[in-house]
Amino acid sequence: MNKITQTIEQIAINTVRILAADAVQKANSGHPGTPMGLAPMGHVLWTESMNYNPQNPQWDNRDRFILSCGHACMLQYSYLYLTGYNITMDDIKNFRQLHSKTAGHPEYGLLDGIEITTGPLGQGFANGVGMGIAQQYLASQYNKPDFKLFDYKIYAICSDGDMMEGVSAEAASLAGHLQLGNLIYLYDDNQITIEGATSLAFNEDVVERFRSYGWHVQSVADGNDIEAIATAVENAKNETHRPSLIKVRTHIGFGSPNKEDTAAAHGSPLGKDEVKLVKENFGFDPDKSFVVPDDVLNYYREKGNAGIQKEDEWNDLYKKYKEKYADETAEYELFKSGKLPEGWKENLPVFKPDAKGIATRKASGKMLNAIAAKLPMLIGGSADLSPSTDTTLYDFESFTDENHGGRNFHFGIREHAMGAILNGMAVTKGIIPYGATFLIFSDYMRPPIRLAAIMKIRPIFIYTHDSIGLGEDGTTHQPVEQLIGLRSVPNVMVIRPADANETVQAWRVALEHSGGPVALILTRQELPIIDQDRYAKASGLEKGAYILSDCDGEPQLILMGTGSEVHLLLEAQEKLKADSIHARVVSFPSWELFDKQDGAYKQKVFPKNIRKRLAVEAGSPIGWCKYVTDEGDVIGITKFGESAPGPEVMKEYGFSVENVIARAKAL
Ligand SMILES: Cc1ncc(C[n+]2csc(CCOP(=O)(O)OP(=O)(O)O)c2C)c(N)n1
């Protein structure tokens, strides 16, 4: 191909292809072929379709871009560099190296312009649905007939792998149902995955599938036809009710004479000689690497700079909005900053001591409803379990296809997508999303939990029916290893409150938390409400572990526990006292919160010399050894549960006052 006869667009697109081949070759690792096939699509998005400003990547009304097939990240890195984001050619040359901004997959927070972390296929697809929901909710709250403050779109590029993963099916189904017309997804139909042709495992008609989900679907037969792609995106923009899918037939490794359309172009460098052939093919000097012709850079920078004016126009609009709608602006800016309105903590529910008590899931529902009016950005729902997880906001409507201002979400029985959607909502500044299911089904949402933790974003996961205490639903529904599983994920804060008042405090802490997701672990069964005058105040929960009830004089042993087991410890303490055994009771709702306390506080709660310690928790005992010392003991569960009335199962498994006393005495 003679470069002289190519248009600037073609040279620009080929520059991106060669950059991908060069960067992967230099790193000796990565995915060159997919960006080579996707370059025209990227070109259309970054030069024509999307509103963005490289000078202010956080512009509130920017279009969001998600590369759901994150392995193709050289595409995104190239366009961020070329259009003028804060990334240099040296960053591109450092692709996949230690501490570089250009990690192996686009990582949240490393580089301006990356909206979300992808990598596990399917996640970005579903995250976009959450971003689409958040945009619509913001619009419903703040747009006015004379001000379209938030009208941005969610663009995504997704691949065959994204389409195969179940989470995208869950999310697409919900997006179609909810009529999220702000989604514009481009499907990279290159028909190649790692093992070879997609026909090895994937023969479904994606177009028909998405039509049946209620999407607006178009096909572009030639992925190099930038006009056809641009027209399809324009049509998608004009379709404001249905989410849009544009299937684009591309060719992996386009321009590589020996690897195009083969799996060999997917996940390894093309090889030095082949990269030279690609360059020759496109009329570039085969002996030069990382070349961006000046006119290409100028061309893309100009396109990027056009965003400055777009943002300026929006800023003018915002200024006028602010003058006219001062209260709305103040509210939006407050939530956007991550703060909560003053006085939101006044009049939190207080529960009187009560031996029968209420389930912590119920207390959670009361707390949610008590604060909902003051926190309009707190929105969420459940995976078809609202009556069981107590997550309905009774004074508010549902988010439906016809009402994008509702606050109650019906995610359907789609836990995996719910998690990923919550992540997409959580990266939208101001929105505080929550989603609920049974603790056992947190297993169905592990990937988004992990990604929220990596991204240090704060969706709130509500997990009820938290132990064998749930009773008759039996073994399959009774969590055993889930608590330690969640605690083992870095940056996840797990809180298992002991009663209704601790539940209120757990919500308070969750709402004030940043830096990772929060998992609230709640019971199905009723728990006694602990007397805060007789024992310590529930606000001690914020320290993770606190002395709930001390003994006279130096304790001989420490009883510690979480959630539904704490009241057993208080009863055991009384009975031990009658036998002249001095036990301290520590309520220990959150390891993560406790681990953050200073040494003096830790020493106060767990003096080093008191080594007889008993931990009690209706879950796997793994991990408690850290707190009970080598002279302590743990009452936990090392097998699966059983179906029977909850109290019977609890007793059978050793969660009784008698057993706590026996094990304490043994110590
Ligand atoms: C959940 C998940 N499973 C497996 C992988 C490993 N993986 C990375 S790319 C890929 C093949 C993807 O093929 P496709 O989506 O068609 O991408 P393309 O070949 O077009 O680059 C796989 C299996 C992954 N990233 N995520």
Side-chain angles (χ1 to χ4, degrees), residues 34 71 119-121 159-162 165 188 190 192-194 252 266:
T34 316
H71 59 276
L121 289 161
S159 64
D160 295 312
D162 287 305
E165 290 290 353
D188 177 30
N190 67 20
I192 292 290
T193 65
I194 290 177
I252 195 166
H266 168 89

Side-chain angles (χ1 to χ4, degrees), residues 151-190:
D151 61 356
Y152 64 87
K153 308 270 181 201
I154 319 298
Y155 290 87
I157 294 181
C158 39
S159 64
D160 295 312
D162 287 305
M163 292 301 173
M164 290 188 210
E165 290 290 353
V167 67
S168 61
E170 292 179 19
S173 166
L174 186 62
H177 172 79
L178 291 175
Q179 295 274 284
L180 295 175
N182 54 359
L183 305 187
I184 301 178
Y185 281 24
L186 295 108
Y187 164 33
D188 177 30
D189 173 31
N190 67 20

